[in-house]
Amino acid sequence: MMIPQARCMQNTIYFLISGKVLVKSEEHPMTTFSSGQFILQPIGSRVEFHILESCECILYLFDRPQNVCNDRFLSGETMAGNMTVTPIVMNSCTPLVLYLEGMKKYINDAMLCCNFLQAKGTELIYILNCYYPLKELATFYAPIYRYTKSFKYFVMQNYLKAKDVESFAQLGGYSLPTFRRIFKETFGEPAYQWMVKKKCQDIHNDLITTNQSISEICYKYGFESLANFSHFCRANFGKSPRTIRNERIGNI
């Protein structure tokens, strides 16, 4: 079975609980990813998976890495350089194995909510940073270290601040034609199309996973009124924001 090539909209850590997968990406070219290992694909990267054995995988998605120790983070960034990125073994770290066993049970029992997921995300970062040596972590995070000063990083750090493509270009000091050209070369689609898609993804995520009120979400994304926000949701999701929120509540 093959999962076709797709672009990662967020940084994604793949924890392979069981099975075997062939990974095809710039970061992991023709890499066999086996049970008990985990890999990282950065925002904007393209990845294709070939399932070699029936598998079970837990994904952790995030926009930017949590920095729990500035000195350690900067040291890792310096070390990353031209390191070869390889899968990391999770079975050598008992706390990580126990953490993933717990997450698997929570997911199967549908015992998830926004605050809980945020807490577990922080716990995961602490486990990785406390139980793995710096050199191994530098290798693991190398794809992120390499793009922190890139155009991709600028986009992911600032897209919420921009109301339209023109203001986005001005924010980075680009002319509009240059910004559009670089954006399409980097992300594979026009800036406006990407911004709308990302906005939809973030709004839907806020509605179903956070405790923010509908009004807070509305104004967070720059809508002038709840009526405009409702129209946007109906046009892009086929449902009102309240319906989406109620579906979340109904599934808890």
Side-chain angles (χ1 to χ4, degrees):
M1 174 183 174
M2 182 189 78
I3 300 177
Q5 186 181 82
R7 188 179 296 277
C8 294
M9 298 299 289
Q10 292 177 279
N11 294 304
T12 306
I13 301 178
Y14 300 84
F15 294 96
L16 192 59
I17 307 301
S18 63
K20 185 179 292 185
V21 179
L22 177 65
V23 185
K24 293 183 179 180
S25 68
E26 181 180 342
E27 296 73 22
H28 299 279
M30 299 298 290
T31 300
T32 300
F33 177 32
S34 302
S35 172
Q37 295 180 322
F38 58 102
I39 60 171
L40 169 66
Q41 285 293 148
I43 288 173
S45 63
R46 289 185 174 276
V47 59
E48 178 180 298
F49 295 103
H50 293 257
I51 311 301
L52 304 178
E53 295 178 4
S54 180
C55 62
E56 187 175 23
C57 191
I58 293 178
L59 277 58
Y60 173 61
L61 286 73
F62 59 100
D63 285 330
R64 58 186 65 86
Q66 293 186 49
N67 183 1
V68 297
C69 174
N70 194 53
D71 290 342
R72 193 170 169 84
F73 186 87
L74 293 175
S75 296
E77 185 175 21
T78 301
M79 293 174 63
N82 296 318
M83 284 183 166
T84 301
V85 182
T86 57
I88 293 185
V89 177
M90 68 177 79
N91 293 339
S92 63
C93 176
T94 301
L96 180 59
V97 172
L98 294 175
Y99 171 90
L100 291 169
E101 287 177 354
M103 287 305 300
K104 179 180 174 181
K105 180 169 177 56
Y106 298 139
I107 292 169
N108 289 338
D109 293 345
M111 296 176 60
L112 302 175
C113 69
C114 174
N115 292 335
F116 176 76
L117 288 174
Q118 289 176 349
K120 296 302 287 185
T122 300
E123 181 186 357
L124 172 61
I125 300 305
Y126 271 97
I127 290 174
L128 293 178
N129 280 273
C130 292
Y131 289 95
Y132 283 92
L134 182 57
K135 185 175 181 179
E136 195 166 9
L137 285 177
T139 302
F140 178 68
Y141 283 118
I144 292 181
Y145 287 134
R146 290 168 188 166
Y147 82 66
T148 53
K149 297 179 182 179
S150 71
F151 182 77
K152 288 181 185 177
Y153 188 73
F154 161 74
V155 168
M156 298 311 301
Q157 289 287 86
N158 294 285
Y159 72 91
L160 283 177
K161 302 174 186 176
K163 291 186 177 181
D164 51 40
V165 177
E166 185 174 2
S167 63
F168 207 168
Q170 291 174 352
L171 192 61
Y174 298 92
S175 68
L176 186 57
T178 298
F179 180 81
R180 283 176 168 161
R181 175 180 57 78
I182 296 175
F183 197 102
K184 188 167 185 180
E185 289 174 354
T186 304
F187 288 90
E189 60 185 324
Y192 176 77
Q193 182 178 324
W194 183 92
M195 289 173 71
V196 171
K197 185 187 298 183
K198 185 64 175 168
K199 190 173 188 178
C200 288
Q201 182 186 55
D202 289 347
I203 287 173
H204 192 269
N205 184 67
D206 281 354
L207 285 170
I208 65 173
T209 66
T210 76
N211 294 321
Q212 297 175 68
S213 68
I214 291 176
S215 294
E216 288 174 329
I217 296 172
C218 167
Y219 297 115
K220 172 183 176 180
Y221 291 97
F223 292 94
E224 295 180 356
S225 67
L226 286 170
N228 287 339
F229 182 50
S230 181
H231 176 75
F232 177 89
C233 289
R234 290 180 184 279
N236 289 280
F237 307 127
K239 304 172 184 177
S240 70
R242 190 168 300 280
T243 299
I244 297 171
R245 170 58 56 84
N246 289 340
E247 288 178 348
R248 184 279 300 265
I249 294 173
N251 288 328
I252 292 177

